[in-house]
Amino acid sequence: MVEPATDTIAATKLVPLLKDELDIVIPTIRNLDFLEMWRPFFEPYHLIIVQDGDPSKIIKVPDGFDYELYNRNDINRILGPKASCISFKDSACRCFGYMVSKKKYIFTVDDDCFVAKDPSGKAINALEQHIKNILSPSTPFFFNTLYDPYREGADFVRGYPFSLREGAPTAVSHGLWLNIPDYDAPTQLVKPLERNTRYVDAVLTIPKGTLFPMCGMNLCFDRDLIGPAMYFGLMGDGQPIGRYDDMWAGWCTKVICDHLGLGVKTGLPYIYHSKASNPFVNLKKEYKGIFWQEEIIPFFQAATLPKDCTSVQKCYIELSKQVKEKLGKVDPYFDKLADAMVTWIEAWDELNPAGAPAKVSNGKA
Amino acid sequence: MVEPATDTIAATKLVPLLKDELDIVIPTIRNLDFLEMWRPFFEPYHLIIVQDGDPSKIIKVPDGFDYELYNRNDINRILGPKASCISFKDSACRCFGYMVSKKKYIFTVDDDCFVAKDPSGKAINALEQHIKNILSPSTPFFFNTLYDPYREGADFVRGYPFSLREGAPTAVSHGLWLNIPDYDAPTQLVKPLERNTRYVDAVLTIPKGTLFPMCGMNLCFDRDLIGPAMYFGLMGDGQPIGRYDDMWAGWCTKVICDHLGLGVKTGLPYIYHSKASNPFVNLKKEYKGIFWQEEIIPFFQAATLPKDCTSVQKCYIELSKQVKEKLGKVDPYFDKLADAMVTWIEAWDELNPAGAPAKVSNGKA
């Protein structure tokens, strides 16, 4: 049986890494009591809280945290008509936080995620591991059988080309979950009691050309390198699906990372995922996605971007055209999604004018 | 500090898996005392020992093991002029054992590999784990973030296409090494004291389209599915390189597995690798390979096989033509190697006539 850590203070570092260069983005509909457990790890950082649902509700944030909070009214005010690209009543709204951040790095975490313990019983500083992952290169062009070659005690094995040992810049670090695994509704229904208790002590690069199911629960990325591709799509209120927000972002991101020569890592760190969502509700949200992903994934597997797509924005606009052309036939939803992808990029560029320096946040909103 | 297990008897299974369907192939130049430690795991199986070097030397095999042993005279006698494709004074000679086996599965292990311990201190039955790997499907077409979805306590995560959940047949199980890692000579020279102490509790499929450095130290494969691609090339005596035998087999095998829709797994099981080979000797063997692999790997990454290559043999012959055409320019060695690849297939087919049933071995030679 795995249990969350209770002593997190002992595991704190004295000097937090990237303190002024990273924002923590949290989508929520409730008071953020879960932050108490993360306090030793998160308190030095700035939080961007994206409040979903009723904007008149007051979300309590524990004392001592440096944060800004946006509700739906804020999103509508800041983006105007372009706010249509930000989902409502779905944690997909978190991507608004990516857009308003001015930092180089984003860590996003769900409010039902707690601090996990490693096999020695020590509280895992998930953020610190993500930062390690993202600051060291990736190896997307050839597989290293001893996993991350840049990790202490590891290296490239015999037969690994020397020309590839500098690696590629890491754009994404995808962390995993102990306790409740990230299963779809059918698997939740079939295996209601399954818990993930296996701590796999590895970080690895997902090879170029390979897609993966990216979960938004415990995710870090380099905004400068890949931010505009981290759009979580149209989900929830008024949309025919939910729970594909992070998947959509993952497929788009991976195709663009592959095109631009950027790396995506998965593995450590683990968080402790406390609560399984309701599988019946999930099935309702997911069932169209379960059909559609059978066409979406071959689409992304076959997608190629022209050479003149040299920025994430250009790649993303090109991808939106291909979505419209190829997936529009699957369902009119994808026409709407393709338009929203364009709106997202317009809104991103409006809030992040080219050449604007990444500013250090001034504290609470 | 990792140490090998000492109590292996306690870890034995009562009924050994695939007892009559698997041969253990061991290349050696010395007495096989290392088998004592493996006795509880290997004794139920048939061994094929390929004696390298001076055929007049007597190799002692501990009592109680069921084995056949081939030295260079045997290889020359059995293959006649085709024996030229089997390396001499190099562990690449092991692939002769793959050819004379009549079993469906092969496990090959080096004679400086001992039984490793898992983090709980239990002796690892490497063969049992390989058999589990090879009898369960692979997932080469999409990455599962919780690693092997067929393992107990794991499954496919949200966003994994249902149409791909049957997986693909597993052709290869590549195991890893605790203690001495499989480094090339330059890395050995730079990090003489590095030991692998990290036990990563995972098995994963190497995605389609991704090459990897396959090590022959601790390797299992399905002879029926991929055997003829497991040629370990021309190494050692009279050849310009060594230590690229398993790499060569790995690159060819992976390209062919990708073409035929077969899976390659890596990760568990670990063996305990006891002795680092001499880095100065290794550098001499490797240095041409270090240059050449910079051209070999792009060659294999770009290699495609025509649709009418529907058997491993056809794929391998086609690959030999491409080697001659594309790598022949790099060095005349590859012309010779391409010819040897053809000879290997001819010899394979001679010893393994089409439609011949996999026979159960009758015991000692």
Side-chain angles (χ1 to χ4, degrees):
Chain A
M1 185 62 193
V2 280
E3 281 170 29
T6 47
D7 181 14
T8 54
I9 290 165
T12 326
K13 283 266 169 181
L14 286 178
V15 182
L17 288 163
L18 299 181
K19 192 181 88 60
D20 298 322
E21 292 170 77
L22 182 143
D23 282 335
I24 300 176
V25 172
I26 302 164
T28 195
I29 49 168
R30 58 177 79 93
N31 294 335
L32 292 177
D33 304 326
F34 91 113
L35 284 173
E36 280 304 345
M37 194 187 201
W38 289 103
R39 186 180 289 278
F41 304 137
F42 290 179
E43 207 172 22
Y45 295 88
H46 181 68
L47 312 181
I48 297 177
I49 297 160
V50 184
Q51 177 180 349
D52 197 21
D54 180 6
S56 70
K57 190 176 167 186
I58 304 293
I59 299 284
K60 281 188 201 151
V61 181
D63 283 345
F65 284 95
D66 169 44
Y67 71 95
E68 55 196 300
L69 185 150
Y70 299 91
N71 63 28
R72 191 70 207 182
N73 294 338
D74 300 317
I75 295 171
N76 289 340
R77 175 175 46 79
I78 292 166
L79 293 184
K82 296 196 182 76
S84 62
C85 74
I86 304 296
S87 297
F88 186 46
K89 294 191 179 169
D90 193 287
S91 69
C93 68
R94 76 174 83 209
C95 65
F96 178 75
Y98 311 158
M99 193 184 257
V100 293
S101 167
K102 295 288 173 268
K103 304 284 178 60
K104 183 167 164 56
Y105 302 100
I106 296 286
F107 171 52
T108 184
V109 64
D110 280 5
D111 63 6
D112 63 346
C113 291
F114 294 93
V115 178
K117 289 188 289 193
D118 70 18
S120 77
K122 198 179 153 214
I124 298 166
N125 185 344
L127 181 50
E128 184 185 35
Q129 179 68 48
H130 275 302
I131 291 170
K132 278 185 192 169
N133 293 350
I134 212 127
L135 292 183
S136 68
S138 291
T139 55
F141 310 115
F142 198 75
F143 189 88
N144 193 49
T145 51
L146 286 184
Y147 310 101
D148 184 354
Y150 305 105
R151 202 170 164 196
E152 208 183 331
D155 212 311
F156 293 96
V157 301
R158 180 170 58 91
Y160 203 102
F162 281 83
S163 62
L164 295 178
R165 294 191 186 196
E166 281 189 17
T170 303
V172 179
S173 166
H174 176 260
L176 301 175
W177 343 277
L178 289 173
N179 196 41
I180 307 285
D182 188 31
Y183 287 163
D184 48 58
T187 308
Q188 280 184 299
L189 288 165
V190 170
K191 294 180 154 183
L193 297 177
E194 190 150 291
R195 297 294 176 266
N196 186 24
T197 59
R198 184 175 292 127
Y199 181 93
V200 175
D201 187 13
V203 178
L204 58 100
T205 298
I206 300 176
K208 183 177 176 179
T210 300
L211 293 179
F212 77 114
M214 188 180 81
C215 172
M217 215 190 293
N218 170 25
L219 181 70
C220 187
F221 61 91
D222 183 324
R223 237 180 124 259
D224 288 356
L225 287 180
I226 200 65
M230 277 289 177
Y231 175 46
F232 272 43
L234 293 174
M235 303 281 145
D237 194 50
Q239 308 301 340
I241 52 169
R243 283 170 59 82
Y244 275 87
D245 51 342
D246 42 7
M247 297 298 139
W248 185 260
W251 296 324
C252 294
T253 292
K254 188 59 168 57
V255 166
I256 294 174
C257 282
D258 285 350
H259 174 74
L260 296 175
L262 303 171
V264 175
K265 291 183 184 177
T266 186
L268 301 183
Y270 286 94
I271 52 79
Y272 181 93
H273 185 207
S274 67
K275 210 168 59 183
S277 43
N278 184 315
F280 299 98
V281 173
N282 290 346
L283 188 59
K284 196 174 163 195
K285 290 177 180 176
E286 280 174 9
Y287 81 96
K288 282 177 193 269
I290 286 172
F291 291 99
W292 290 346
Q293 72 187 1
E294 300 293 340
E295 311 219 30
I296 297 171
I297 286 165
F299 161 76
F300 280 111
Q301 283 174 331
T304 55
L305 298 168
K307 276 199 174 163
D308 64 348
C309 288
T310 50
S311 71
V312 180
Q313 277 91 334
K314 281 183 191 166
C315 290
Y316 204 74
I317 294 293
E318 169 63 27
L319 211 47
S320 77
K321 288 179 196 159
Q322 297 184 17
V323 166
K324 180 158 272 193
E325 188 195 326
K326 302 263 178 63
L327 294 179
K329 294 173 215 155
V330 174
D331 194 276
Y333 167 74
F334 292 98
D335 270 327
K336 209 166 59 168
L337 179 54
D339 292 338
M341 291 168 74
V342 175
T343 306
W344 160 263
I345 292 295
E346 288 168 357
W348 183 283
D349 285 344
E350 210 171 283
L351 291 182
N352 298 275
K359 75 164 193 216
V360 173
S361 169
N362 293 320
K364 289 178 194 178
Chain B
M1 184 63 195
V2 282
E3 280 171 29
T6 47
D7 181 13
T8 54
I9 289 164
T12 325
K13 284 264 168 182
L14 285 178
V15 181
L17 289 162
L18 300 181
K19 194 181 87 62
D20 298 323
E21 292 170 78
L22 182 142
D23 282 337
I24 300 175
V25 172
I26 302 164
T28 195
I29 51 168
R30 55 177 81 92
N31 294 334
L32 292 177
D33 304 325
F34 91 112
L35 284 173
E36 280 304 345
M37 194 188 200
W38 289 104
R39 186 180 289 278
F41 304 137
F42 290 178
E43 208 172 21
Y45 295 89
H46 182 68
L47 311 181
I48 297 178
I49 298 160
V50 185
Q51 177 179 349
D52 198 21
D54 179 5
S56 70
K57 192 178 165 183
I58 303 293
I59 299 284
K60 281 188 202 150
V61 181
D63 283 347
F65 285 94
D66 169 45
Y67 70 96
E68 55 197 300
L69 185 150
Y70 299 91
N71 64 27
R72 192 70 208 183
N73 294 338
D74 299 317
I75 295 171
N76 289 340
R77 176 176 45 78
I78 292 167
L79 294 184
K82 296 196 182 75
S84 62
C85 74
I86 304 295
S87 298
F88 186 47
K89 295 192 178 168
D90 192 288
S91 69
C93 68
R94 76 175 83 208
C95 64
F96 178 76
Y98 312 158
M99 192 185 260
V100 294
S101 167
K102 295 288 174 266
K103 305 285 178 61
K104 182 165 164 57
Y105 302 100
I106 296 286
F107 170 53
T108 183
V109 64
D110 280 4
D111 63 6
D112 63 346
C113 291
F114 294 92
V115 179
K117 289 187 289 193
D118 70 18
S120 76
K122 197 178 154 216
I124 298 166
N125 185 345
L127 182 49
E128 185 185 34
Q129 178 69 48
H130 275 302
I131 291 170
K132 280 184 190 170
N133 293 350
I134 213 126
L135 292 183
S136 67
S138 291
T139 54
F141 309 115
F142 198 75
F143 189 88
N144 194 49
T145 51
L146 287 184
Y147 310 102
D148 184 354
Y150 305 105
R151 203 170 163 194
E152 207 183 334
D155 212 312
F156 293 96
V157 300
R158 180 169 58 91
Y160 203 102
F162 281 83
S163 61
L164 295 178
R165 295 190 186 196
E166 280 188 18
T170 303
V172 179
S173 167
H174 176 259
L176 300 176
W177 344 277
L178 289 173
N179 197 39
I180 307 285
D182 187 32
Y183 287 164
D184 48 56
T187 308
Q188 280 185 299
L189 288 165
V190 170
K191 293 179 154 184
L193 297 178
E194 190 149 290
R195 298 293 177 265
N196 186 25
T197 59
R198 184 174 294 126
Y199 182 93
V200 175
D201 186 14
V203 178
L204 57 102
T205 298
I206 300 175
K208 183 177 176 179
T210 299
L211 294 179
F212 77 115
M214 188 179 83
C215 171
M217 216 188 296
N218 170 24
L219 181 71
C220 187
F221 61 91
D222 183 325
R223 240 182 122 256
D224 288 356
L225 287 180
I226 201 64
M230 278 289 177
Y231 175 46
F232 271 45
L234 292 174
M235 304 281 146
D237 195 51
Q239 308 302 340
I241 53 169
R243 284 171 59 81
Y244 275 87
D245 52 342
D246 41 7
M247 297 298 139
W248 186 260
W251 297 323
C252 295
T253 292
K254 187 60 168 57
V255 166
I256 293 173
C257 282
D258 284 351
H259 174 75
L260 296 175
L262 303 171
V264 175
K265 291 182 184 179
T266 185
L268 302 182
Y270 286 93
I271 52 79
Y272 182 93
H273 185 207
S274 67
K275 210 168 57 182
S277 44
N278 184 315
F280 300 99
V281 173
N282 290 346
L283 187 61
K284 195 175 162 193
K285 290 178 180 174
E286 280 175 10
Y287 80 97
K288 282 177 194 268
I290 286 172
F291 292 98
W292 291 345
Q293 72 187 3
E294 300 293 340
E295 311 220 29
I296 297 171
I297 287 165
F299 161 76
F300 279 111
Q301 284 175 329
T304 54
L305 299 169
K307 276 198 174 164
D308 64 348
C309 288
T310 51
S311 71
V312 180
Q313 278 90 334
K314 281 183 190 165
C315 290
Y316 204 74
I317 293 293
E318 169 63 27
L319 210 47
S320 77
K321 287 179 196 158
Q322 298 184 16
V323 167
K324 179 159 275 196
E325 189 195 326
K326 303 262 177 64
L327 294 179
K329 295 172 213 157
V330 175
D331 193 277
Y333 167 73
F334 292 98
D335 271 326
K336 209 165 60 168
L337 180 54
D339 292 338
M341 290 168 75
V342 175
T343 306
W344 159 265
I345 293 294
E346 288 169 358
W348 182 283
D349 285 343
E350 210 171 285
L351 291 182
N352 297 276
K359 75 162 194 222
V360 174
S361 170
N362 292 321
K364 288 179 195 176

